[in-house]
Amino acid sequence: MSHTTTIRSAVRAVALRQIPAALAVIVLVAGLAGPAAAEEPTRWLNVNVTEPGTETNVEVHLPLSLVISVLDGINVEGFEAGKIDLELEDADIDWPVVIAAVAEAPDGEFVRAKTQDADVSIVKREDMIYVDVTEHEGDEAVVKVTLPVTLLSSLNIDNENKVDVKALLASIDTLPDGELVRVSSNDANVRIWVE
Amino acid sequence: MSQRGISTIPAILLAAVAGLFTALLLMDWVVVDITTADTGHLVVPCPLMVPRVAAAFIPDDAFEDAVVPAELREQREAVLTAVQALLDAPDATLVRVNDPETRVEITKRGHLLEIAVDSDDAVVRCTVPIDGVYEALEEWDWEHVDPELVFDILDRAPGGTLVSVKADDADVDIRVW
């Protein structure tokens, strides 16, 4: 028997011996990965808009992954490339510092403003931030925004005062189910929640 | 010999006709069924291959000016990602709109997107194969308007009614089988 034949036989023997082991590994990995993949729940972004005046009700129930992938394709005034423009041209705000300060601050009411136009209140309580705005004129809108403090770490506002909505939505994926925004006004009621 | 020759020709013709019928039966067919108060009932069955072949004879310069805007072309990856995400999503009613005059529902079921519109003057049902849309968009050059896109989607459509419109003055069904 030549050297080449011996080596071939040895390789074949090793290979044949490895096949059951390799199959066992594949079955084991598939067995572990299968349930894990199956258990990963789809997160849904829900939007409900009702217009009492026209008796119109709109319900949108979309997978978060779909919303995030679509955001890139939306380019309208004030919302481009997954970023929403806060239109604060004159404001020079160091957002990272502000966001970090809010995140680290103890519970309490940060802002309470009462004006002729609206009442505004921003409260931090039990790792949640509650923003309440009550308009006294116009649509007399009541806006309630609920944001988990953990979401602040993903709140990225750049030097041009644009909020990276895509990054924010991506981080919502990690949040527990719950309501994010509720707006009530004379014209329409809007509710946004994640589940 | 001459008798054998005569019997062979009809046999070949019969085999050719049988083969043609078999091929036609195996093809995907699209049936357009129109009922109007004026013209009555019109049914147009057509193998899907026929419009595809006909489209192939359309001169290239017919679509020369039908160029896709660059803005849309840039969205190719985003659109494909969105369609894939939709395909991967679990079955659910994605959009529901109700007002006193109209009801709209968009439901994802398997690889199909079902669109239902009920309004005072028309009832529309439409079934779109999401996987067909994805594959057609993936193969499309995103530069020129191409009728092949529609045929590619129809090719992947499941058998049954794709579009059904029931209006006051006409009913239209487009079925694939």
Side-chain angles (χ1 to χ4, degrees):
Chain A
M1 191 181 276
S2 70
H3 270 307
T4 314
T5 314
T6 311
I7 291 167
R8 271 190 197 148
S9 302
V11 167
R12 196 179 300 137
V14 169
L16 285 172
R17 210 171 296 144
Q18 296 304 322
I19 285 172
L23 283 174
V25 169
I26 290 167
V27 169
L28 186 64
V29 169
L32 291 172
E39 282 167 14
E40 193 176 308
T42 301
R43 302 306 305 279
W44 297 85
L45 189 71
N46 299 282
V47 181
N48 186 13
V49 181
T50 54
E51 286 185 2
T54 58
E55 294 178 37
T56 302
N57 182 47
V58 179
E59 294 170 35
V60 179
H61 176 67
L62 294 173
L64 208 49
S65 56
L66 176 64
V67 177
I68 291 167
S69 61
V70 168
L71 278 181
D72 271 340
I74 300 174
N75 284 309
V76 293
E77 191 181 345
F79 191 97
E80 289 172 355
K83 291 186 176 182
I84 191 164
D85 192 346
L86 295 177
E87 296 180 2
L88 300 170
E89 282 80 12
D90 300 332
D92 184 16
I93 303 169
D94 191 344
W95 287 108
V97 172
V98 173
I99 292 167
V102 172
E104 290 164 14
D107 286 2
E109 190 169 42
F110 298 153
V111 176
R112 175 183 282 270
K114 282 182 180 288
T115 68
Q116 279 189 335
D117 294 337
D119 293 349
V120 179
S121 161
I122 302 176
V123 174
K124 185 182 178 194
R125 190 171 57 238
E126 293 173 355
D127 292 333
M128 299 291 279
I129 293 169
Y130 301 92
V131 180
D132 287 2
V133 180
T134 306
E135 261 190 345
H136 299 312
E137 292 182 348
D139 290 337
E140 295 181 355
V142 177
V143 181
K144 290 183 183 295
V145 180
T146 308
L147 285 176
V149 173
T150 50
L151 205 63
L152 290 178
S153 60
S154 307
L155 184 59
N156 180 14
I157 307 175
D158 63 19
N159 295 334
E160 296 172 351
N161 294 315
K162 289 181 178 177
V163 183
D164 190 342
V165 179
K166 192 179 173 184
L168 199 60
L169 279 175
S171 69
I172 284 177
D173 205 9
T174 61
L175 293 180
D177 296 354
E179 188 174 272
L180 297 174
V181 178
R182 182 187 283 264
V183 180
S184 306
S185 74
N186 290 339
D187 289 341
N189 302 314
V190 181
R191 185 174 167 239
I192 302 174
W193 73 102
V194 66
E195 63 181 351
Chain B
M1 284 296 281
S2 62
Q3 270 187 340
R4 191 182 170 195
I6 288 165
S7 64
T8 305
I9 291 169
I12 290 170
L13 283 173
L14 191 64
V17 170
L20 186 65
F21 269 108
T22 309
L24 284 172
L25 285 174
L26 289 175
M27 278 179 188
D28 287 334
W29 284 65
V30 61
V31 179
V32 181
D33 189 331
I34 303 168
T35 307
T36 63
D38 300 334
T39 58
H41 191 200
L42 179 69
V43 180
V44 184
C46 175
L48 205 51
M49 183 63 79
V50 172
R52 190 186 278 275
V53 170
F57 284 99
I58 298 173
D60 287 343
D61 55 2
F63 292 111
E64 215 167 50
D65 296 332
V67 178
V68 174
E71 296 83 22
L72 179 60
R73 210 174 307 144
E74 287 165 10
Q75 302 304 327
R76 181 185 185 275
E77 289 311 313
V79 172
L80 286 175
T81 308
V83 177
Q84 184 64 56
L86 185 60
L87 201 52
D88 294 340
D91 293 358
T93 296
L94 305 175
V95 177
R96 188 179 284 135
V97 180
N98 283 306
D99 73 20
E101 291 170 1
T102 313
R103 185 177 142 265
V104 179
E105 264 193 26
I106 302 176
T107 302
K108 195 247 171 188
R109 191 166 289 131
H111 63 106
L112 300 175
L113 198 65
E114 297 172 351
I115 301 163
V117 181
D118 292 79
S119 69
D120 287 348
D121 46 8
V123 174
V124 180
R125 297 286 180 273
C126 183
T127 305
V128 181
I130 309 167
D131 52 350
V133 171
Y134 182 86
E135 288 175 34
L137 290 176
E138 196 179 34
E139 288 168 15
W140 183 34
D141 66 2
W142 289 75
E143 287 183 9
H144 300 95
V145 174
D146 188 353
E148 284 282 322
L149 255 181
V150 179
F151 304 133
D152 284 347
I153 294 169
L154 285 175
D155 260 350
R156 290 164 179 97
T161 303
L162 279 190
V163 179
S164 165
V165 180
K166 298 197 184 311
D168 292 339
D169 51 354
D171 290 353
V172 178
D173 278 345
I174 300 175
R175 293 188 291 270
V176 170
W177 56 271

